[in-house]
């Protein structure tokens, strides 16, 4: 988990490093232990007046694909620098109109130990065709919890940041040794 200050520094680095014409705006920069995800807004296509919903959706998807192909080299260059500097993989995404698309992102393995009742939940999801495997079923459960507890998780993250700030003020802490302060230089 990174602090608000570290998140702001990360967002600032990307805001300063990205080519000015890459996005209309930098929408989101998020990070965890393995990955930094950068999402920006791109201009919507302008279909002819009276276009159907299907035509508008197709235009949005085509705009996202065009952006992905056209900007690949620029994004790869920034990602290489960021991966060297921050020690994490960089993933990209865009928002275009009502469409949000992530291009490539890390699917990190997570080891867990489950008792039989929890395994039965996963096995039921697999048997019902909701998931292809226990791994997919567990990811489905995490997404479900995330969707229904965003406020609670936000409060929990805020509390963790407060704990990190208090720990950093402890008697054995050197202010220059804060985790994540390494700028890679």
């Amino acid at each position: 988990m990174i602090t608000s200050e570290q998140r702001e520094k990360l967002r600032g680095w990307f805001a300063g490093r990205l080519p000015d014409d890459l996005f209309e705006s930098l929408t989101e920069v998020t990070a965890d232990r393995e990955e930094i995800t950068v999402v920006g807004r791109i201009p919507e296509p302008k279909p002819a007046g009276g276009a159907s919903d299907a035509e508008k959706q197709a235009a949005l998807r085509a705009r996202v694909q065009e952006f992905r192909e056209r900007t690949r080299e620029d994004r790869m260059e920034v990602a290489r620098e960021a991966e060297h500097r921050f020690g994490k993989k960089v993933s990209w995404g865009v928002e275009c109109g009502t469409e949000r698309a992530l291009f490539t992102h890390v699917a990190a393995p997570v080891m867990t130990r489950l008792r039989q009742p929890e395994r039965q939940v996963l096995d039921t999801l697999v048997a019902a065709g909701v998931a292809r495997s226990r791994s997919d079923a567990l990811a489905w459960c995490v997404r479900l919890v995330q969707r229904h507890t965003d406020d609670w998780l936000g409060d929990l993250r805020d509390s963790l940041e407060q704990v990190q700030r208090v720990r950093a003020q402890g008697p054995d802490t050197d202010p220059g040794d804060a985790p994540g302060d390494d700028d890679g230089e």
Side-chain angles (χ1 to χ4, degrees):
M1 166 117 184
I2 66 172
T3 65
S4 292
E5 182 180 350
Q6 291 167 332
R7 190 173 19 261
E8 289 168 6
K9 286 180 180 178
L10 190 63
R11 184 179 172 85
W13 186 87
F14 277 97
R17 176 57 187 88
L18 292 174
D20 289 338
D21 61 345
L22 187 65
F23 298 125
E24 284 185 328
S25 62
L26 183 59
T27 309
E28 180 181 302
V29 177
T30 57
D32 65 8
R33 292 179 189 171
E34 293 84 19
E35 174 181 33
I36 300 168
T37 303
V38 180
V39 179
R41 178 156 290 285
I42 61 173
E44 286 185 63
K46 295 175 179 54
S52 69
D53 288 342
E55 184 178 344
K56 291 175 186 175
Q57 278 304 109
L60 284 175
R61 284 191 212 101
R63 174 63 52 94
V64 167
Q65 187 61 34
E66 182 277 333
F67 172 86
R68 182 179 186 185
E69 297 301 324
R70 178 176 44 84
T71 64
R72 179 172 277 123
E73 291 300 319
D74 287 339
R75 289 182 295 106
M76 286 174 57
E77 182 180 334
V78 173
R80 276 191 292 275
E81 287 179 38
E83 288 170 7
H84 176 73
R85 183 180 192 95
F86 302 111
K88 301 172 192 275
K89 290 292 183 188
V90 177
S91 299
W92 297 93
V94 294
E95 292 178 353
C96 182
T98 58
E99 192 81 11
R100 180 182 171 101
L102 293 178
F103 300 150
T104 52
H105 44 281
V106 174
V110 179
M111 179 64 83
T112 186
R113 296 182 189 277
L114 300 175
R115 298 202 185 321
Q116 188 178 39
E118 291 113 359
R119 293 191 311 267
Q120 287 174 335
V121 170
L122 301 181
D123 291 342
T124 300
L125 292 171
V126 172
V130 173
R132 294 183 311 242
S133 64
R134 283 181 171 177
S135 178
D136 285 345
L138 187 55
W140 183 87
C141 291
V142 169
R143 285 190 301 273
L144 185 65
V145 168
Q146 178 186 20
R147 188 175 308 129
H148 294 292
T149 58
D150 279 341
D151 292 339
W152 180 79
L153 288 172
D155 291 345
L156 189 59
R157 286 185 189 107
D158 292 344
S159 295
L160 288 170
E161 286 184 22
Q162 178 61 25
V163 167
Q164 287 177 342
R165 283 192 293 274
V166 171
R167 278 189 187 148
Q169 296 170 0
D172 296 335
T173 307
D174 178 5
D177 290 341
D181 273 355
D182 182 23
D183 64 5
E185 295 190 20

